[in-house]
Amino acid sequence: MATKLVLLPGLDGTGLLFQPLLEALGAAFPVQVICYPPDQCLSVEALAAQVRAQVTFDIDTVLLAESFSGLIAVELLRQGIPLRSVIFCASFASAPHPWLLKLAMHLPLERWWRLPLPESLLRLLGIDARLQALLKPVREQVLPSVAAYRLRLIAAARPFALAQRWEIPCHYLRAVNDWAVPERCANELRRYFYHVEITRIAQSGHFLLQTQPAACAAVLKRLIITMEESP
């Protein structure tokens, strides 16, 4: 049976930001893009249930979790879903910056979601004109209250205890210039997986799949072809 790649979206949850990657992947293998409700404030557990309602998981499934969805991927694994492998992209299993918790609980996060992004932030995040065009409908679809709620879920996420590490291979796509998610988040996954492979992609910020789709697609093709060739 062919390997199926399941894509879990970042904070927006729309799946629209996967378009550059999908174009770069072409028809290499089946791909399923997951979407989260844009108008519901759902917990990590509830979002995991949304994923399970959309996907039939089996040992030929590769799960890719982008950014925020690292929390969802970990929850799905804790629930015992069958997988061939899991891939984290610019992602995390706990809050990237624990000090964000205090800020997140006091800042009016809902207000900034649809405000124009300042030029300094665009440069810091590596957001070019094409990505700005992709972000516009995304920011219009998702309620500000939902985006703020998901940011607070990230800020509140803490490392957890696991009696035994997972055996399935874990891969991490690391954006070299990702200020939002530090290197520590990739290394933290070694607590939970026996096998962790980190691929660093140069000239990339947090929006890795959107700004370096060809490089990411090449890595994904290599990983999945290797999996299919292994016994």
Side-chain angles (χ1 to χ4, degrees):
M1 185 180 295
T3 300
K4 175 178 66 177
L5 178 64
V6 175
L7 303 178
L8 301 186
L11 182 78
D12 64 286
T14 63
L16 295 176
L17 296 181
F18 285 129
Q19 189 57 40
L21 177 67
L22 294 174
E23 292 173 3
L25 285 173
F29 34 75
V31 180
Q32 182 177 359
V33 175
I34 301 305
C35 305
Y36 304 141
D39 55 354
Q40 298 178 42
C41 294
L42 300 177
S43 67
V44 169
E45 293 78 10
L47 288 169
Q50 290 272 329
V51 176
R52 297 190 73 165
Q54 297 177 62
V55 182
T56 301
F57 287 104
D58 56 39
I59 59 170
D60 291 304
T61 303
V62 174
L63 184 67
L64 184 149
E66 181 184 29
S67 188
F68 165 75
S69 278
L71 303 179
I72 316 304
V74 168
E75 176 59 28
L76 289 166
L77 286 164
R78 292 175 74 177
Q79 293 177 12
I81 62 166
L83 284 179
R84 171 70 65 88
S85 176
V86 62
I87 301 169
F88 293 84
C89 178
S91 193
F92 40 83
S94 64
H97 301 284
W99 51 267
L100 280 176
L101 179 59
K102 290 183 179 179
L103 282 177
M105 297 310 167
H106 294 93
L107 290 177
L109 298 174
E110 293 83 352
R111 295 181 185 176
W112 66 266
W113 179 246
R114 287 178 179 161
L115 293 175
L117 296 174
E119 287 296 325
S120 57
L121 184 59
L122 292 173
R123 288 193 299 270
L124 191 62
L125 291 172
I127 298 177
D128 57 18
R130 183 187 182 189
L131 182 49
Q132 287 187 61
L134 282 173
L135 284 169
K136 188 176 186 296
V138 165
R139 297 174 76 196
E140 290 172 350
Q141 282 188 29
V142 181
L143 291 183
S145 58
V146 172
Y149 182 79
R150 289 174 186 163
L151 279 171
R152 294 187 175 105
L153 288 179
I154 294 172
R158 290 293 176 268
F160 59 91
L162 192 66
Q164 185 175 359
R165 286 181 289 176
W166 287 303
E167 294 278 358
I168 66 167
C170 171
H171 304 275
Y172 192 101
L173 298 183
R174 163 82 179 142
V176 170
N177 301 318
D178 189 350
W179 70 270
V181 180
E183 182 87 11
R184 172 189 63 78
C185 294
N187 292 326
E188 181 188 346
L189 293 174
R190 300 186 193 281
R191 295 186 186 186
Y192 309 124
F193 297 90
Y194 284 105
H195 313 286
V196 178
E197 176 185 332
I198 301 174
T199 300
R200 294 172 178 83
I201 297 181
Q203 299 179 326
S204 57
H206 183 63
F207 288 93
L208 179 55
L209 299 179
Q210 292 72 36
T211 58
Q212 297 289 337
C216 292
V219 173
L220 294 176
K221 289 176 182 179
R222 173 181 63 81
L223 290 175
I224 290 177
I225 290 171
T226 301
M227 290 176 206
E228 291 182 333
E229 290 176 348
S230 63

